Amino acid sequence: MTDAADANATHTEAPSASRRGRDARRAARVQRGGVSVPYITRNIPLTEVLSEEAMQIIEHNAETLLEEVGIEFREYPRALELLKAAGCDIKGERVRFPRGLARKLIQTAPSQYIQHARNGERNVVIGGNNTVFAPNYGSPFVHDLDKGRRYGTIEDFRNFVKLAYANPYVHHSGGTVCEPVDLPVNKRHLEMIYAHMRLSDKPFMGSVTAPERAQDTVDMAKILFGEDFIQQNTVCTSLINANSPMVWDNTMLGAADVYAQNNQACIITPFILSGAMSPVTVAGTLTQVLAEVLAGVSFLQLVRPGAPAIFGTFVSTLSMQSGAPTFGTPEAALAIYGAGQLARRMKLPFRSGGSLCASKIPDAQAAYESANTLIPAMFGGVNFMLHSAGWLEGGLSASYEKFVMDFDQLGAMHVLAKGVDMSENGQAMDAFHQVEPGGHFLGCAHTQANFETAFYRSNISDNNSVEQWEAEGKQDAAQRANRIWKKTLAEYEAPAIDPGVDEALRDFIERKKAAVPDANY
């Protein structure tokens, strides 16, 4: 059943009693998980693809790139002034770093930090052995089985915030989960930030599309957390993308400046499609990634020593035949592994990965490509994983169904990251004494004591007989996800907030909106 109308007809028919029971059990498992599932602390070993010699070569080459070629800091005189005072060679907007200077400047950045949520139980630690999942970011379009592909709206934005809030396996509300194109460009950030603050109590990301919008984010955070609190604590982690190759532009620098001044974290991220924005080789791409990160983090530390910074990398590949972006490729996986090693070498938290795909619908291509990004990110030591749920069509679309399907896989990652249980219960020796040779373990006391938690149980997969599957409507995974997201939104309840704080936020937003006319730039 591929037609949206036919699919919707299936979604609306009355569920069978057995399916209602199974849905209830699934909901109960998710509810239990929501209470007990914090961000991930990994107990599995890291995969490292670079030798010590290889890392030394890449670091040497990155330093050479910064010293001989340089990196442009465009249309932002303050950055040039700070970098010149620090010892950089400035010619026009081209900045060249003396060998070793950038590595020295970044040493004041913390190796890990706490991002505080308005609900302190949802604080996350960024860095170390921790992995924090954040949802999709930046898509202008949204997609679902009922309405197909369309431009995103503020209603869609709010729905995605609610879905991320309701799922226990997503630790962070994210940022621009989709682009609400029904609101003016110069004002939409106010409603986006408010949605994160009001509809969720998880940590969130701020606006970076203009310095004044970053300042609005900071000012709203002051209302929510208190001005003194945010100067001493980090409550916002925001995405600052390089204009690769080797350019930092004034929009990103201005936003980064605002956040760093106020002790808020920035993800310094080269955004690279290898073959177009970097060399086609993994080693060459990693050299560029390291150079761009070193330059960006250096700027943050000159603005405010100790400002939190994340070593970010978004690396994928291109089809050399069509020029289209490709995802889930082995070269991209190698880049994630290598960048993770370089981030740890620089003693910075690491951002990469996600559930990335080029597929236009939540199908097998989407699943394979997403898995081929998600797994390397887990074993590569990613600390902050943006795009962990909902990404479709190379990031152009945020999918309701894929949000739910990805949530399911994130739950599996929580179990994988725990590693092997070597406790007395995990060793299961009493089970061997309870079962005679040739017997079975289904009825033994050890199995009975552990059956609820023994294995991760998917909320999406159907493992029943074909007869039962046919009786329940022959639904595929996307159709089951469609039912789940609708049920989740129908049952959503907003977290409590101080009415005075909420009123102050709305007053700030309305005053900001009234101060300037609508503009789409």
Side-chain angles (χ1 to χ4, degrees):
M1 200 176 291
T2 58
D3 181 83
D6 289 342
N8 193 46
T10 301
H11 304 150
T12 55
E13 67 179 330
S16 67
S18 62
R19 196 176 81 191
R20 288 196 302 270
R22 191 161 59 255
D23 286 347
R25 291 191 295 274
R26 286 172 172 168
R29 291 199 298 272
V30 170
Q31 186 175 21
R32 285 196 297 273
V35 174
S36 61
V37 180
Y39 59 87
I40 289 174
T41 300
R42 296 185 307 276
N43 290 313
I44 52 177
L46 298 172
T47 298
E48 299 190 334
V49 297
L50 300 175
S51 66
E52 174 63 25
E53 180 184 12
M55 285 193 289
Q56 289 177 5
I57 290 171
I58 289 172
E59 184 176 357
H60 173 84
N61 291 347
E63 293 275 13
T64 300
L65 190 54
L66 287 172
E67 183 179 40
E68 297 181 2
V69 177
I71 184 165
E72 292 195 0
F73 285 73
R74 289 186 179 168
E75 299 180 21
Y76 204 72
R78 173 169 153 78
L80 299 176
E81 292 167 5
L82 289 171
L83 291 162
K84 183 175 182 179
C88 291
D89 176 39
I90 313 290
K91 287 185 173 58
E93 295 181 322
R94 184 75 62 90
V95 178
R96 292 177 173 85
F97 288 75
R99 188 173 292 274
L101 176 61
R103 181 74 184 272
K104 178 181 178 182
L105 291 174
I106 71 167
Q107 290 179 3
T108 54
S111 60
Q112 70 176 35
Y113 66 93
I114 298 172
Q115 182 179 350
H116 294 263
R118 72 177 178 93
N119 177 354
E121 293 182 359
R122 299 190 185 275
N123 294 352
V124 292
V125 178
I126 310 293
N129 291 326
N130 307 308
T131 294
V132 171
F133 290 138
N136 187 74
Y137 187 106
S139 301
F141 299 99
V142 300
H143 183 280
D144 65 55
L145 294 186
D146 305 303
K147 300 177 184 178
R149 184 182 190 261
R150 63 194 186 279
Y151 280 107
T153 66
I154 190 62
E155 181 183 5
D156 292 309
F157 187 97
R158 291 166 181 155
N159 284 343
F160 288 135
V161 171
K162 292 174 183 178
L163 289 173
Y165 168 70
N167 189 271
Y169 302 124
V170 177
H171 320 109
H172 202 282
S173 194
T176 308
V177 284
C178 73
E179 194 70 47
V181 300
D182 56 334
L183 299 182
V185 170
N186 65 330
K187 298 179 181 179
R188 65 179 60 158
H189 67 286
L190 297 165
E191 294 296 347
M192 294 158 69
I193 298 303
Y194 177 73
H196 285 300
M197 291 180 167
R198 180 64 191 91
L199 302 178
S200 176
D201 60 5
K202 295 181 180 182
F204 60 90
M205 302 172 73
S207 178
V208 297
T209 53
E212 58 270 23
R213 295 167 198 166
Q215 187 62 56
D216 285 342
T217 303
V218 170
D219 291 341
M220 292 174 72
K222 290 177 182 178
I223 296 171
L224 188 64
F225 291 93
E227 183 168 359
D228 292 341
F229 186 85
I230 75 162
Q231 291 303 322
Q232 302 300 321
N233 300 278
T234 298
V235 302
C236 189
T237 295
S238 298
L239 180 61
I240 306 295
N241 281 335
N243 192 351
S244 302
M246 304 301 286
V247 172
W248 286 102
D249 65 37
N250 63 329
T251 298
M252 292 290 100
L253 291 170
D257 196 347
V258 169
Y259 286 124
Q261 286 183 53
N262 290 279
N263 196 43
Q264 303 309 302
C266 293
I267 309 169
I268 300 298
T269 301
F271 186 93
I272 291 174
L273 297 175
S274 295
M277 298 139 77
S278 77
V280 295
T281 64
V282 173
T285 296
L286 290 175
T287 296
Q288 182 181 317
V289 165
L290 181 55
E292 291 177 352
V293 170
L294 285 171
V297 177
S298 292
F299 168 67
L300 290 182
Q301 297 311 298
L302 290 172
V303 170
R304 178 168 174 165
I310 296 177
F311 185 120
T313 181
F314 182 99
V315 174
S316 197
T317 53
L318 285 181
S319 166
M320 292 289 98
Q321 288 70 45
S322 68
T326 54
F327 298 91
T329 61
E331 295 84 3
L334 290 170
I336 290 173
Y337 290 131
Q341 289 182 255
L342 294 172
R344 292 187 289 276
R345 187 177 182 85
M346 299 299 120
K347 296 181 171 59
L348 292 171
F350 178 43
R351 171 257 162 151
S352 192
S355 299
L356 310 183
C357 67
S359 183
K360 316 307 177 284
I361 59 175
D363 61 1
Q365 179 185 345
Y368 279 121
E369 291 178 353
S370 294
N372 287 341
T373 310
L374 180 61
I375 298 294
M378 284 302 301
F379 282 94
V382 168
N383 300 120
F384 188 89
M385 197 183 303
L386 197 55
H387 311 306
S388 65
W391 172 289
L392 208 62
E393 196 189 341
L396 289 176
S397 289
S399 162
Y400 279 81
E401 285 78 26
K402 192 161 183 292
F403 252 83
V404 175
M405 295 164 74
D406 289 337
F407 288 162
D408 187 60
Q409 291 304 296
L410 299 185
M413 293 303 101
H414 279 73
V415 177
L416 177 66
K418 290 179 181 178
V420 177
D421 176 12
M422 290 304 298
S423 67
E424 183 176 347
N425 180 69
Q427 293 175 50
M429 291 305 297
D430 53 340
F432 292 110
H433 290 291
Q434 294 164 11
V435 177
E436 294 293 328
H440 66 77
F441 289 85
L442 288 174
C444 79
H446 183 271
T447 299
Q448 293 299 306
N450 288 278
F451 82 96
E452 279 281 356
T453 58
F455 308 117
Y456 178 72
R457 285 181 285 172
S458 169
N459 286 320
I460 294 294
S461 299
D462 186 308
N463 303 308
N464 297 307
S465 68
V466 67
E467 291 82 10
Q468 186 170 347
W469 172 73
E470 289 174 342
E472 293 180 353
K474 300 182 180 179
Q475 291 193 340
D476 62 21
Q479 291 169 325
R480 291 190 289 273
N482 180 279
R483 186 176 71 248
I484 291 171
W485 72 253
K486 289 175 180 176
K487 184 175 186 291
T488 302
L489 291 180
E491 296 175 351
Y492 165 82
E493 294 182 8
I497 191 171
D498 184 303
V501 170
D502 191 32
E503 183 179 353
L505 286 169
R506 289 309 315 174
D507 179 67
F508 175 88
I509 291 169
E510 298 309 322
R511 284 189 291 105
K512 294 293 293 189
K513 286 182 178 179
V516 293
D518 293 353
N520 283 317
Y521 55 85

